[in-house]
């Protein structure tokens, strides 16, 4: 029995992705820049079951819900089509952090599933191909195929593949995560993005101004300029939330404690601690910092009422895959 074991880390965007090009192929409407982080991880174990008529899909030790199973099955169908195989699959995925709570679990899950499918269906995809395939499951997953900082370029035509460029940095970035609530978000990113595209009066300005933010972030990284990176990353984050909040009905992902945490990080930066925040489609706050600021940021966020847990991560490695005769994830669930 051959199992394909893949692992991938989530990534947090410094210049945000929000919105898709109209059409069925999950093509982001904007380019973005992100940091893949260590510490948080999704593992996937997959085997082919050519004799079976249906896929068996498990997430975090339980049978996947109907909605999750449908999304996963559609994604595996793409690999069946690419390889010409009709084989059913058995998939177990397990994350060491909560899913669907704004911690980028879809990025790490689809990146890991991409590597497992690529190996199981013997496709031998290049890193760029793997990123393009991962993007079809979740836009941000393309970025988790790679480690460290990356630029996900805009696809000028939907028929062209996604392009990821690694952005080497000398900035020794750490990230402190303030976990507030572990409730799954009320509106997922996919539905939320479509709502913003159709109803936010700020959406056109969001698309139009993204190139300048990406250029500013790239220039800041190239110059090791933490302060300039902080300014554009917080701007991109708050602009994305303005688009979300101006959608109809509004999408309000930060909780009161998230806004309090943002104010804390800004106050720390003013007081000379190199740190900046970013917040995604959920109430968790991620504070990127230089090493000198980590202790102060951890302490300040940890004492905020409503912060349940503080975790510290660094820049993470690319997604990886191996083979095994056993499925360690199923055994862990027993
Ligand atoms: C707010 O990649 O989860 O985290 O492509 O619909 O799966 P889908 O969306 P997803 O969106 C991530 C949005 C974000 C910002 C970001 O990571 O850039």
């Amino acid at each position: 029995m051959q199992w394909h074991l893949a692992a991938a880390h989530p990534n947090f965007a410094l210049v945000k992705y929000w919105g898709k090009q109209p059409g069925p192929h999950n093509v982001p409407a904007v380019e973005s820049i992100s940091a893949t982080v260590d510490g948080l991880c999704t593992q996937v174990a997959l085997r082919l079951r050519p004799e079976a008529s249906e896929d068996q899909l498990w997430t975090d030790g339980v049978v996947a819900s109907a909605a999750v199973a449908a999304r996963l099955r559609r994604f595996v169908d793409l690999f069946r089509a690419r390889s010409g195989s009709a084989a059913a699959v058995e998939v177990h995925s397990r994350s060491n952090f909560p899913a669907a709570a704004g911690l980028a679990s879809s990025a790490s899950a689809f990146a890991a599933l991409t590597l497992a499918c690529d190996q199981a269906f013997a496709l031998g995809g290049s890193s760029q191909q793997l990123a393009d395939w991962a993007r079809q499951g979740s836009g941000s997953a393309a970025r988790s195929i790679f480690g460290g900082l990356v630029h996900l370029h805009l696809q000028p035509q939907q028929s062209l593949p996604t392009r990821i460029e690694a952005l080497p940095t000398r900035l020794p970035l750490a990230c402190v995560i303030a976990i507030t609530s572990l409730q799954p978000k009320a509106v997922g990113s996919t539905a939320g993005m479509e709502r913003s595209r159709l109803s936010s009066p700020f959406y056109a300005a969001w698309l139009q101004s993204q190139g300048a933010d990406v250029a500013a972030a790239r220039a800041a990284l190239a110059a090791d300029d933490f302060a300039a990176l902080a300014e554009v990353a917080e701007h991109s984050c708050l602009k994305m939330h303005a688009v979300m909040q101006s959608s109809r009905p509004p999408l309000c992902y930060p909780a009161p404690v998230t806004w309090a945490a943002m104010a804390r990080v800004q106050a720390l930066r003013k007081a000379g601690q190199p740190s900046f925040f970013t917040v995604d489609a959920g109430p968790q706050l991620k504070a990127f910092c230089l090493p000198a600021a980590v202790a102060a940021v951890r302490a300040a966020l940890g004492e905020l009422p409503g912060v349940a847990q503080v975790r510290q991560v660094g820049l993470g490695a690319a997604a990886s895959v191996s083979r095994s005769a056993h499925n360690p994830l199923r055994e862990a669930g027993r």
Side-chain angles (χ1 to χ4, degrees), residues 13 17-18 20 26 71 106 138-140 143 189-190 193 280-281:
Y17 150 46
W18 192 253
K20 300 171 197 294
N26 207 44
R71 188 174 177 185
S106 70
S138 180
S140 54
R143 304 183 310 222
S189 299
T190 307
M193 286 183 196
D280 294 297

Side-chain angles (χ1 to χ4, degrees), residues 11-20 26-28 30-34 71 102-107 110 134-143 185 188-193 206 210 240-241 244 253 278-282 286:
N11 67 77
F12 303 138
L14 306 180
V15 179
K16 298 296 190 186
Y17 150 46
W18 192 253
K20 300 171 197 294
N26 207 44
V27 180
V30 288
E31 52 192 322
S32 56
I33 290 181
S34 69
R71 188 174 177 185
L103 286 170
S105 56
S106 70
F110 278 99
R135 185 266 307 159
Q136 292 167 47
S138 180
S140 54
R143 304 183 310 222
K185 53 193 149 200
S189 299
T190 307
M193 286 183 196
W206 163 253
Q210 186 78 346
M240 176 183 76
H241 284 279
M244 293 164 160
Y253 292 109
T278 194
V279 177
D280 294 297
K286 298 97 182 183

Side-chain angles (χ1 to χ4, degrees), residues 5-327:
L5 307 181
H9 299 295
N11 67 77
F12 303 138
L14 306 180
V15 179
K16 298 296 190 186
Y17 150 46
W18 192 253
K20 300 171 197 294
Q21 299 184 28
H25 303 299
N26 207 44
V27 180
V30 288
E31 52 192 322
S32 56
I33 290 181
S34 69
T36 296
V37 297
D38 63 12
L40 310 182
C41 181
T42 301
Q43 292 175 284
V44 164
L46 180 150
R47 67 174 169 144
L48 297 182
R49 297 183 69 232
E51 74 290 355
S53 55
E54 278 193 13
D55 294 332
Q56 282 185 16
L57 306 165
W58 303 70
T59 53
D60 291 318
V62 296
V63 174
S65 69
V68 169
R71 188 174 177 185
L72 294 177
R73 202 168 288 124
R74 274 199 307 275
F75 187 68
V76 178
D77 281 345
L78 298 172
F79 289 87
R80 285 189 270 255
R82 280 174 198 124
S83 66
S85 160
V89 296
E90 180 178 348
V91 178
H92 299 253
S93 101
R94 190 175 290 273
S95 296
N96 68 353
F97 62 100
L103 286 170
S105 56
S106 70
S108 49
F110 278 99
L113 185 56
T114 298
L115 263 63
C117 285
D118 173 67
Q119 186 173 277
F121 289 102
L123 290 168
S126 66
S127 297
Q128 292 292 341
Q129 268 169 334
L130 294 168
D132 192 52
W133 295 342
R135 185 266 307 159
Q136 292 167 47
S138 180
S140 54
R143 304 183 310 222
S144 279
I145 296 292
F146 288 72
L149 285 145
V150 300
H151 177 178
L152 190 162
H153 284 267
L154 186 64
Q155 278 175 247
Q157 286 174 30
Q158 298 205 15
S159 54
L160 294 175
T162 302
R163 184 161 69 88
I164 298 273
E165 180 184 356
L167 297 178
T169 179
R170 282 180 297 265
L171 290 174
L173 292 175
C175 183
V176 175
I177 307 170
I179 298 177
T180 59
S181 157
L182 299 181
Q183 293 299 315
K185 53 193 149 200
V187 181
S189 299
T190 307
M193 286 183 196
E194 187 62 359
R195 187 185 293 182
S196 295
R197 183 177 78 81
L198 295 174
S199 67
S200 169
F202 302 158
Y203 188 72
W206 163 253
L207 298 188
Q208 182 270 322
S209 59
Q210 186 78 346
D213 292 350
V214 164
R218 287 189 61 123
L221 285 167
D224 304 329
D225 186 342
F226 186 88
L229 185 64
E231 195 281 329
V232 71
E234 288 190 355
H235 171 69
S236 176
C237 169
L238 292 171
K239 190 163 50 175
M240 176 183 76
H241 284 279
V243 172
M244 293 164 160
Q245 291 182 18
S246 59
S247 303
R248 287 182 161 161
L251 297 159
C252 299
Y253 292 109
V257 58
T258 321
W259 293 107
M262 291 186 222
R264 275 293 170 91
V265 172
Q266 286 187 324
L268 283 168
R269 189 160 77 253
K270 267 202 188 120
Q273 301 283 0
S275 57
F276 65 85
F277 64 74
T278 194
V279 177
D280 294 297
Q284 331 304 348
L285 177 133
K286 298 97 182 183
F288 281 94
C289 336
L290 292 181
V294 166
V297 170
R298 286 190 70 135
L301 295 180
E303 72 186 24
L304 277 178
V307 170
Q309 198 189 340
V310 172
R311 287 178 79 155
Q312 183 184 334
V313 297
L315 292 183
S320 61
V321 65
S322 61
R323 293 172 207 273
S324 168
H326 306 285
N327 170 10

